[in-house]
Amino acid sequence: MGGTFQTTLKRFPVTVVFVLALTLYLFHLISIEAKGDEKLFWVTGYYLSTGTLLSLTLHLWCEEVKRNSRKWMIQITMHALLIADTWFLYSLSPERSLTEIGIAHAAALFALGLSVFFLSFTQAKNDIPSWNFATSSIGALATSLVIGSIMSGGISLLILSLHTLFGIDVSYKCYLYILTLCNVCLALFLFLGLLPQGKEKHNDRPLPNAFLNSIIHYLFLPLEIGYMIVLYIYAGSILANWELPIGWVSWLVTIMMGGCIIIEFGLYPARMEKEKRTDRLIARWLPILALPLLILMTVSIGRRLQDYGITINRLYLLTFNLWCYLVCIGLLTNRARRISWIPISFACIFLLVSILPVNYASITRNKIHKDIETSLKQATTHPLPLSKDIYETCLKEMPHAQAANLNNRIRYMRDWFGWESLQDLVASNVSLYTLPETEPESHSYRGQTSSPVSVNIPQGYNKLTAIEQQISGTDNALPETWWKNGTLPVLIEGTNDTLYFDLSILKELNQYETEPMPPTVLRCSSPEKSFILTRFSLNYSEQEPEDTYLSFNGYLFTK
C-alpha cells in the first residue's frame, strides 16, 4: 500500500495535492458547520474539485509528451486559467443570473471529464487503447467507491458501537469526517493507484468481454429493435393520416439513438478482434435503420419551435438531433472502425454552442426579450417598463391565448435569466402566476339535415353503414393544437379509417342556422370509402383543448 501511494504521488503529484486540499477543506466545512460566506464555500469547492480533475487529465496527457518545457507550460497555463475562472465566479453579483455561466461551465466540465479517457490517445492507430483505458478506469473508479463505502460504513458502525456498548457520546461530525476520509480521500487515492500505466495504459489488444457481449446481444439489441419497430409503425401511421408527430416522439428517438451508440461501443472490441459477420452487420445496419427515424425527431422539434417558439432546451435538442445525423453518417462512412470521435464531437459541439459570447442561452434570451417587447408595444402606448396595474390592464385587453402566451414568456425569462433581464420591460412586482379573469375564447359549429333526408349513393359504392359517434378532448384521441392544421381527424369506431372534419366546411355549414344543411361529403383516409355528414355539433377552445367535444351522424359508404 505504501509503495502504491509513492507511485501515485510520483505519477500524479498535483492531483494528490488537490485531493488532500479538498479533503482538508471538507473537514473545515464540517468543523464550522458550513457557516459563513456561502459564496466563498461554493467557489472554493469548485476550484478544488475541478482542479483535481484538471490535474489528472493533464498528468495523463503529459505522460505522452517528451519535452519538459512543454509540459510545464501547459500545466501552468491551464491552472492559471482555472484560478482566473474561479476568481471570475467569486466576483459575480449575487443577483446575476447564472444560466449562461452555469451551462458554459457544465459543457467545459463535461469536455474535461471526457479528456481523461481520450486526450492521451490522439496518436493511436485505432480506438482499442482508449477503449481499454476507459473501461479499466471506470472499473477502477467503481471499485474504489465500493471499497470507500465499505470502509466508511464499517468504521461508522464501529464508532456507533462505542456509544451502544459503553455509552460514549460521539458527535455527528465524527461520522461526517469518516465519510469524507473514506469516500473522498481514500477512494480517490485508490482510483489513482489503479489507473493503468505504461504498456498497460496503451494496450492495443482487443479485450472483448463475454458478459458485455451477452448483455448487448440478448438485452440491449432486442430493446433497441423494439424501439425502432414502434417508431417505424408510428411513422407509417402519421404518414397514412398525413399528421405531424407529437413532442413525445423526440424522447423516444433520443433513447433509440442512445441505445444505438451504446451498442456500437459495446461491440467494438469484439469486432476489432474477430470481425464476426453478425457483429459487422449489426454495426452497419443500426445507423442505417436509425437515420430515417431522426426525421421524426426533426419534424417534432420543428413543430414545437413553430408552435411555442425557441427555448434553451429546444435549441439544444435540435442540435443533438443534427449531431445524431452526423453520427449515423459517420458510422456508415468509416464502417464503425473508429468510435472515439462520437463522444469527442458531442463534447466539442456542446462546448461550442455554450461558451462563446453568442450562445444558445443568449440567443434565447435576446429572442424572447424582443418578442415580449414587441407584444407590449403593440398592446399599449404606455412607456416601458410597465407597472403592475398597466401590465394587468394589457392582459385583460388581450385575447386570452395571447395574454397567456405573453405571461408565460415573461415567466420563462424570469425563471431562467432573472428579473434583470426584464427590468426594461415590466416592474418586478407584477404577478406572473394568475391571469386576469377572462373567459377563454370558444368556438361552436352546428348543423343538421332535414328529417327525413334523401342521400344519393355515390357511384361505385355498394355497402352502407350508419354512423353515430361522439369524441371528447379528454379521451386523448385528438392531436395537439389540431385546429392549427384546419382539420380535425377522427377515427371511425369499428374501422381503421380516419374521417377528416375540415373547419372551413364546418363554418360554411354553420351558416344554415334557420334551415337544414345539405348532406355533405367528408374525406376519408381510405380511397375505398366515402362519408356523408348529416348532423354535427363541434365545440372547442384553443386555450383548453381538453374541452373539445364533437358529435356527428352520417353514412359510411364502402366499395
Side-chain angles (χ1 to χ4, degrees):
M1 190 73 177
T4 302
F5 178 76
Q6 291 178 0
T7 303
T8 301
L9 181 60
K10 183 178 179 180
R11 189 183 180 193
F12 306 111
V14 180
T15 308
V16 170
V17 172
F18 268 106
V19 171
L20 292 174
L22 179 61
T23 304
L24 294 175
Y25 169 70
L26 294 176
F27 282 173
H28 173 67
L29 288 185
I30 294 171
S31 66
I32 65 172
E33 299 181 344
K35 295 179 179 178
D37 189 346
E38 293 186 3
K39 186 177 181 182
L40 179 61
F41 293 158
W42 281 107
V43 170
T44 305
Y46 164 78
Y47 171 71
L48 294 176
S49 56
T50 305
T52 302
L53 183 60
L54 175 63
S55 61
L56 173 60
T57 191
L58 288 177
H59 278 308
L60 290 171
W61 175 75
C62 285
E63 291 178 342
E64 316 304 319
V65 180
K66 297 181 180 179
R67 293 172 53 189
N68 289 329
S69 59
R70 188 182 180 191
K71 294 180 184 180
W72 283 107
M73 182 178 67
I74 295 297
Q75 289 267 12
I76 293 173
T77 301
M78 295 304 296
H79 282 285
L81 289 175
L82 177 60
I83 293 173
D85 178 56
T86 304
W87 178 255
F88 166 74
L89 292 176
Y90 184 70
S91 64
L92 290 176
S93 170
E95 289 78 23
R96 178 171 177 175
S97 170
L98 297 179
T99 296
E100 288 184 57
I101 297 171
I103 294 175
H105 280 74
L109 289 174
F110 180 77
L112 187 61
L114 278 183
S115 67
V116 172
F117 305 118
F118 300 108
L119 190 59
S120 300
F121 306 96
T122 55
Q123 303 300 322
K125 295 180 180 179
N126 56 43
D127 294 330
I128 289 297
S130 64
W131 200 98
N132 289 338
F133 180 80
T135 53
S136 298
S137 301
I138 294 173
L141 179 61
T143 302
S144 302
L145 291 176
V146 169
I147 294 175
S149 299
I150 292 174
M151 290 298 298
S152 174
I155 298 174
S156 296
L157 184 60
L158 180 62
I159 298 299
L160 179 63
S161 66
L162 297 178
H163 174 75
T164 304
L165 299 177
F166 306 107
I168 300 175
D169 291 330
V170 180
S171 171
Y172 74 94
K173 293 182 181 181
C174 181
Y175 296 100
L176 294 179
Y177 288 135
I178 295 171
L179 185 68
T180 302
L181 183 64
C182 295
N183 290 67
V184 177
C185 187
L186 176 61
L188 288 178
F189 280 154
L190 289 174
F191 169 66
L192 295 176
L194 292 173
L195 285 177
Q197 58 181 316
K199 292 182 179 181
E200 187 181 355
K201 176 182 177 182
H202 290 276
N203 184 7
D204 58 358
R205 185 169 61 89
L207 300 174
N209 187 304
F211 176 74
L212 178 60
N213 287 339
S214 299
I215 293 294
I216 294 294
H217 284 96
Y218 301 113
L219 293 180
F220 288 178
L221 186 59
L223 181 62
E224 178 75 2
I225 293 173
Y227 269 86
M228 288 185 170
I229 290 174
V230 169
L231 287 169
Y232 270 109
I233 293 175
Y234 177 72
S237 67
I238 63 174
L239 282 175
N241 297 327
W242 203 242
E243 300 172 355
L244 292 174
I246 62 175
W248 177 251
V249 77
S250 295
W251 298 108
L252 293 180
V253 175
T254 298
I255 297 173
M256 180 274 299
M257 195 62 205
C260 177
I261 294 173
I262 290 173
I263 292 173
E264 293 283 356
F265 269 83
L267 293 179
Y268 185 73
R271 288 197 304 108
M272 292 298 102
E273 182 189 39
K274 299 179 181 179
E275 194 67 25
K276 291 183 179 179
R277 184 173 183 271
T278 303
D279 291 343
R280 186 174 68 251
L281 290 176
I282 292 173
R284 182 164 182 81
W285 277 98
L286 273 183
I288 293 177
L289 295 174
L291 198 54
L293 297 176
L294 295 176
I295 300 175
L296 275 177
M297 185 175 179
T298 305
V299 175
S300 175
I301 297 171
R303 177 184 179 182
R304 303 290 289 183
L305 288 171
Q306 182 180 9
D307 290 348
Y308 306 109
I310 70 170
T311 63
I312 297 175
N313 293 339
R314 289 176 193 139
L315 289 180
Y316 276 106
L317 191 60
L318 177 61
T319 304
F320 173 78
N321 179 233
L322 298 177
W323 174 77
C324 289
Y325 283 106
L326 174 66
V327 170
C328 290
I329 295 172
L331 289 173
L332 291 174
T333 302
N334 67 16
R335 297 185 178 181
R337 293 191 176 277
R338 301 299 294 260
I339 57 174
S340 293
W341 64 271
I342 296 176
I344 293 174
S345 64
F346 181 88
C348 291
I349 293 174
F350 186 23
L351 202 60
L352 186 65
V353 299
S354 302
I355 67 171
L356 295 177
V358 180
N359 53 67
Y360 279 174
S362 67
I363 291 172
T364 301
R365 183 191 65 241
N366 295 336
K367 178 65 171 61
I368 297 180
H369 183 279
K370 183 178 180 181
D371 291 343
I372 294 173
E373 183 179 10
T374 301
S375 298
L376 292 177
K377 287 182 177 180
Q378 291 175 349
T380 181
T381 57
H382 289 85
L384 303 180
L386 300 183
S387 65
K388 178 181 178 181
D389 293 338
I390 296 178
Y391 174 71
E392 292 181 353
T393 301
C394 287
L395 293 183
K396 290 180 181 179
E397 295 174 351
M398 289 181 181
H400 187 274
Q402 185 179 350
N405 181 266
L406 174 62
N407 199 64
N408 288 337
R409 283 183 293 174
I410 293 178
R411 189 191 307 172
Y412 181 89
M413 286 283 285
R414 192 278 314 274
D415 292 342
W416 284 89
F417 304 105
W419 277 114
E420 66 270 17
S421 64
L422 296 164
Q423 60 184 359
D424 60 330
L425 299 176
V426 294
S428 59
N429 63 339
V430 299
S431 175
L432 301 177
Y433 293 97
T434 56
L435 290 176
E437 292 296 330
T438 58
E439 290 295 328
E441 185 180 2
S442 60
H443 305 273
S444 179
Y445 305 112
R446 291 176 176 79
Q448 185 171 350
T449 60
S450 60
S451 181
V453 61
S454 176
V455 176
N456 295 325
I457 301 176
Q459 186 175 0
Y461 293 85
N462 51 32
K463 182 180 179 181
L464 171 65
T465 305
I467 300 294
E468 180 177 358
Q469 188 172 331
Q470 297 85 32
I471 189 170
S472 171
T474 57
D475 298 333
N476 296 322
L478 301 179
E480 295 181 8
T481 61
W482 57 266
W483 53 84
K484 292 189 177 181
N485 300 323
T487 304
L488 173 59
V490 176
L491 182 65
I492 303 176
E493 292 179 350
T495 72
N496 293 323
D497 297 292
T498 300
L499 181 62
Y500 296 95
F501 286 82
D502 192 314
L503 282 181
S504 60
I505 295 177
L506 299 185
K507 290 178 182 178
E508 292 180 6
L509 296 177
N510 190 62
Q511 297 175 3
Y512 293 89
E513 296 180 356
T514 58
E515 55 182 304
M517 75 175 200
T520 304
V521 177
L522 297 182
R523 179 170 61 92
C524 293
S525 59
S526 172
E528 302 294 320
K529 297 185 179 180
S530 179
F531 185 86
I532 295 182
L533 183 69
T534 58
R535 184 197 68 83
F536 75 95
S537 176
L538 172 64
N539 298 281
Y540 73 93
S541 169
E542 296 179 4
Q543 294 77 41
E544 299 176 356
E546 65 277 4
D547 290 343
T548 299
Y549 179 79
L550 170 67
S551 65
F552 63 94
N553 294 70
Y555 298 99
L556 180 66
F557 293 90
T558 306
K559 290 184 178 180

